[in-house]
Amino acid sequence: MRSATLAFLLALVVSTAEQVGPTSGVPPGPRTGMIVGQVIDGATGQPAAEAIVTLTMAKYDADLPTTPKGRVMTDGEGRFFFSELPAGDYYLRSTKDGYAPGSYAQRRPSANGGPVTLLEGRRTDVQLPVWRYAVIGGTVIDEAGEPVVGISVKALVKNVVAGRIRYGNMDVISGPVAMTDDRGMFRLAELSAGSYVVFVPSTQTTVPAAVLENPD
């Protein structure tokens, strides 16, 4: 009885392991479905021309040539389509130079998307967002109003976690980083839309050169 129970548990573990991750089989059923969509600017709603849309099937290994997948570019109106698809769940991702990527059912740059369910012989219409990157620029000066050269500047994005406001990750070292130039100016590029705290994660002390030459 103990051996039979052990064998059953092993079979259960193997069966469960087989369901984790994509499978290597060929999607069954006729390829009669179609996904038609448009990529838009998530902030303005305007069409995003020449964006790249990637399609993968959630249940199957995307590296197999027999797996429905694709990579197309949108036209001047941000439109695209994938045809001859079998029924199943798909993931759609949109990218464009100068924009933060987006996916189906994603509402804001920091949120997650979801799968598209396609039925046999049906057409599904979708809309994918992308968000134009923002830039924060400025100047770092000392207490005398002089530019501070060669110092790092960082930005932490504002998040709301469990009803509490958080900035960046738990590790304050993370986040976009820039260095000031010879004018004390910095530029933090490729930022998603949002609220940020910009700070200098260091302390500098300025003293007259005469003090350094003659400490007494």
Coordinates of all heavy atoms in Angstrom, one line a residue, residues 61-95:
D61 N 5.7 26.6 -27.0 CA 7.0 27.1 -27.1 C 7.1 28.0 -28.3 O 6.9 27.6 -29.4 CB 8.0 25.9 -27.2 CG 9.4 26.4 -27.0 OD1 9.7 27.6 -27.2 OD2 10.3 25.5 -26.8
A62 N 7.5 29.3 -28.1 CA 7.6 30.3 -29.1 C 8.7 30.0 -30.1 O 8.8 30.6 -31.2 CB 7.7 31.7 -28.5
D63 N 9.7 29.2 -29.7 CA 10.8 28.9 -30.6 C 10.6 27.9 -31.7 O 11.4 27.7 -32.6 CB 12.0 28.4 -29.7 CG 12.5 29.5 -28.8 OD1 12.4 30.7 -29.1 OD2 13.0 29.2 -27.7
L64 N 9.4 27.2 -31.6 CA 9.1 26.2 -32.6 C 8.6 26.9 -33.9 O 7.8 27.8 -33.8 CB 8.1 25.2 -32.1 CG 8.5 24.3 -31.0 CD1 7.3 23.4 -30.6 CD2 9.6 23.4 -31.5
P65 N 9.1 26.4 -35.1 CA 8.6 27.0 -36.3 C 7.1 26.7 -36.6 O 6.5 27.4 -37.3 CB 9.5 26.4 -37.4 CG 10.0 25.1 -36.8 CD 10.1 25.4 -35.3
T66 N 6.6 25.7 -35.9 CA 5.2 25.3 -36.1 C 4.2 26.1 -35.2 O 3.0 26.0 -35.3 CB 5.0 23.8 -35.9 OG1 5.5 23.5 -34.6 CG2 5.7 23.0 -36.9
T67 N 4.8 26.9 -34.3 CA 4.0 27.6 -33.3 C 3.5 28.9 -34.0 O 4.3 29.6 -34.6 CB 4.8 28.0 -32.1 OG1 5.2 26.8 -31.5 CG2 3.9 28.8 -31.1
P68 N 2.2 29.2 -33.9 CA 1.7 30.5 -34.4 C 2.4 31.6 -33.8 O 2.4 31.8 -32.6 CB 0.2 30.5 -34.1 CG -0.1 29.1 -33.9 CD 1.1 28.4 -33.3
K69 N 3.1 32.4 -34.5 CA 3.8 33.6 -34.0 C 4.1 34.5 -35.1 O 3.9 34.2 -36.3 CB 5.1 33.2 -33.3 CG 6.2 32.6 -34.2 CD 7.4 32.3 -33.5 CE 8.5 31.7 -34.4 NZ 9.8 31.5 -33.8
G70 N 4.5 35.7 -34.9 CA 4.8 36.6 -35.9 C 5.3 37.9 -35.4 O 5.3 38.2 -34.2
R71 N 5.8 38.7 -36.4 CA 6.3 40.0 -36.0 C 6.1 40.9 -37.2 O 6.6 40.7 -38.3 CB 7.8 39.9 -35.8 CG 8.5 41.2 -35.2 CD 9.9 40.8 -34.8 NE 10.6 42.0 -34.3 CZ 11.3 42.8 -35.0 NH1 11.5 42.6 -36.3 NH2 11.9 43.9 -34.4
V72 N 5.2 41.8 -37.0 CA 4.8 42.7 -38.2 C 5.0 44.2 -37.8 O 5.1 44.5 -36.6 CB 3.3 42.4 -38.6 CG1 3.1 41.0 -39.0 CG2 2.4 42.8 -37.4
M73 N 4.9 45.0 -38.8 CA 5.0 46.5 -38.6 C 3.7 47.1 -38.9 O 3.0 46.7 -39.9 CB 6.1 47.1 -39.4 CG 6.3 48.6 -39.3 SD 7.6 49.3 -40.3 CE 9.0 48.7 -39.4
T74 N 3.3 48.0 -38.1 CA 2.0 48.7 -38.3 C 2.1 49.7 -39.5 O 3.2 50.2 -39.9 CB 1.6 49.5 -37.1 OG1 2.5 50.5 -36.8 CG2 1.4 48.6 -35.9
D75 N 1.0 50.0 -40.1 CA 1.0 50.9 -41.3 C 0.9 52.3 -40.8 O 1.1 52.6 -39.6 CB -0.2 50.6 -42.2 CG -1.6 50.7 -41.5 OD1 -1.6 51.3 -40.4 OD2 -2.5 50.2 -42.1
G76 N 0.6 53.3 -41.7 CA 0.5 54.7 -41.3 C -0.6 55.0 -40.3 O -0.5 56.0 -39.6
E77 N -1.6 54.1 -40.2 CA -2.7 54.3 -39.2 C -2.5 53.4 -38.0 O -3.4 53.3 -37.2 CB -4.0 54.0 -39.8 CG -4.4 55.0 -41.0 CD -4.5 56.4 -40.4 OE1 -5.0 56.6 -39.3 OE2 -4.2 57.4 -41.1
G78 N -1.3 52.8 -37.8 CA -1.0 52.0 -36.7 C -1.7 50.7 -36.7 O -1.8 50.0 -35.7
R79 N -2.2 50.2 -37.9 CA -3.0 49.0 -37.9 C -2.1 47.8 -38.3 O -1.1 47.9 -39.0 CB -4.2 49.1 -38.9 CG -5.1 50.3 -38.6 CD -6.3 50.3 -39.4 NE -7.2 51.4 -39.1 CZ -8.1 51.4 -38.1 NH1 -8.2 50.3 -37.3 NH2 -8.8 52.5 -37.8
F80 N -2.6 46.6 -37.9 CA -1.9 45.4 -38.2 C -2.8 44.2 -38.2 O -4.0 44.4 -37.7 CB -0.8 45.1 -37.1 CG -1.3 44.9 -35.8 CD1 -1.6 43.6 -35.3 CD2 -1.5 45.9 -34.9 CE1 -2.1 43.4 -34.0 CE2 -2.1 45.7 -33.6 CZ -2.3 44.4 -33.2
F81 N -2.4 43.0 -38.6 CA -3.2 41.8 -38.5 C -2.4 40.6 -38.5 O -1.3 40.6 -39.1 CB -4.3 41.8 -39.6 CG -3.8 41.4 -41.0 CD1 -3.7 40.1 -41.4 CD2 -3.3 42.5 -41.8 CE1 -3.3 39.8 -42.7 CE2 -2.9 42.2 -43.1 CZ -2.8 40.8 -43.5
F82 N -2.9 39.5 -37.9 CA -2.3 38.2 -38.0 C -3.4 37.2 -38.4 O -4.5 37.2 -37.8 CB -1.8 37.7 -36.6 CG -0.6 38.5 -36.1 CD1 -0.8 39.6 -35.3 CD2 0.7 38.2 -36.5 CE1 0.3 40.3 -34.8 CE2 1.8 39.0 -36.1 CZ 1.6 40.0 -35.2
S83 N -3.2 36.4 -39.4 CA -4.2 35.5 -40.0 C -3.8 34.1 -39.9 O -2.6 33.8 -39.5 CB -4.5 35.9 -41.4 OG -3.4 35.8 -42.2
E84 N -4.7 33.2 -40.2 CA -4.4 31.7 -40.2 C -4.0 31.2 -38.9 O -3.0 30.5 -38.7 CB -3.5 31.3 -41.3 CG -3.9 31.7 -42.7 CD -2.9 31.3 -43.8 OE1 -1.9 30.7 -43.4 OE2 -3.2 31.5 -45.0
L85 N -4.7 31.6 -37.8 CA -4.3 31.2 -36.5 C -5.3 30.2 -35.9 O -6.5 30.3 -36.1 CB -4.4 32.5 -35.6 CG -3.5 33.6 -35.9 CD1 -3.7 34.8 -35.0 CD2 -2.0 33.2 -35.9
P86 N -4.8 29.2 -35.2 CA -5.7 28.3 -34.5 C -6.3 28.9 -33.2 O -5.8 29.9 -32.7 CB -4.8 27.1 -34.1 CG -3.5 27.7 -34.0 CD -3.4 28.8 -35.0
A87 N -7.4 28.4 -32.7 CA -8.0 28.9 -31.5 C -7.0 28.7 -30.3 O -6.2 27.8 -30.3 CB -9.2 28.1 -31.2
G88 N -7.0 29.7 -29.4 CA -6.1 29.6 -28.2 C -5.9 31.0 -27.6 O -6.5 32.0 -28.0
D89 N -5.0 31.0 -26.7 CA -4.7 32.3 -26.0 C -3.3 32.8 -26.5 O -2.4 32.1 -26.6 CB -4.5 32.1 -24.5 CG -5.9 31.8 -23.8 OD1 -6.9 32.2 -24.4 OD2 -5.9 31.1 -22.8
Y90 N -3.3 34.1 -26.8 CA -2.2 34.7 -27.4 C -1.7 35.9 -26.6 O -2.5 36.6 -25.9 CB -2.5 35.2 -28.9 CG -2.7 34.1 -29.8 CD1 -4.0 33.5 -29.9 CD2 -1.7 33.5 -30.6 CE1 -4.2 32.5 -30.8 CE2 -1.9 32.5 -31.5 CZ -3.2 32.0 -31.6 OH -3.5 31.0 -32.5
Y91 N -0.4 36.2 -26.7 CA 0.1 37.5 -26.1 C 0.6 38.4 -27.2 O 1.2 37.9 -28.2 CB 1.3 37.2 -25.2 CG 0.8 36.6 -23.8 CD1 0.9 35.3 -23.5 CD2 0.3 37.5 -22.9 CE1 0.5 34.8 -22.3 CE2 -0.1 37.0 -21.6 CZ 0.0 35.6 -21.4 OH -0.4 35.2 -20.1
L92 N 0.2 39.6 -27.1 CA 0.6 40.7 -28.1 C 1.4 41.7 -27.4 O 1.0 42.3 -26.4 CB -0.7 41.3 -28.8 CG -1.4 40.3 -29.7 CD1 -2.8 40.8 -29.9 CD2 -0.7 40.2 -31.1
R93 N 2.5 42.1 -28.0 CA 3.4 43.1 -27.5 C 3.7 44.1 -28.6 O 4.1 43.7 -29.7 CB 4.7 42.5 -26.9 CG 5.7 43.5 -26.4 CD 6.9 42.7 -25.8 NE 8.0 43.6 -25.5 CZ 8.1 44.2 -24.3 NH1 7.2 44.0 -23.4 NH2 9.1 45.0 -24.0
S94 N 3.7 45.4 -28.2 CA 4.0 46.5 -29.2 C 5.2 47.3 -28.7 O 5.3 47.6 -27.5 CB 2.8 47.4 -29.3 OG 2.3 47.8 -28.1
T95 N 6.1 47.6 -29.7 CA 7.2 48.4 -29.4 C 7.4 49.4 -30.5 O 7.0 49.2 -31.6 CB 8.5 47.5 -29.3 OG1 8.7 46.8 -30.6 CG2 8.4 46.5 -28.2

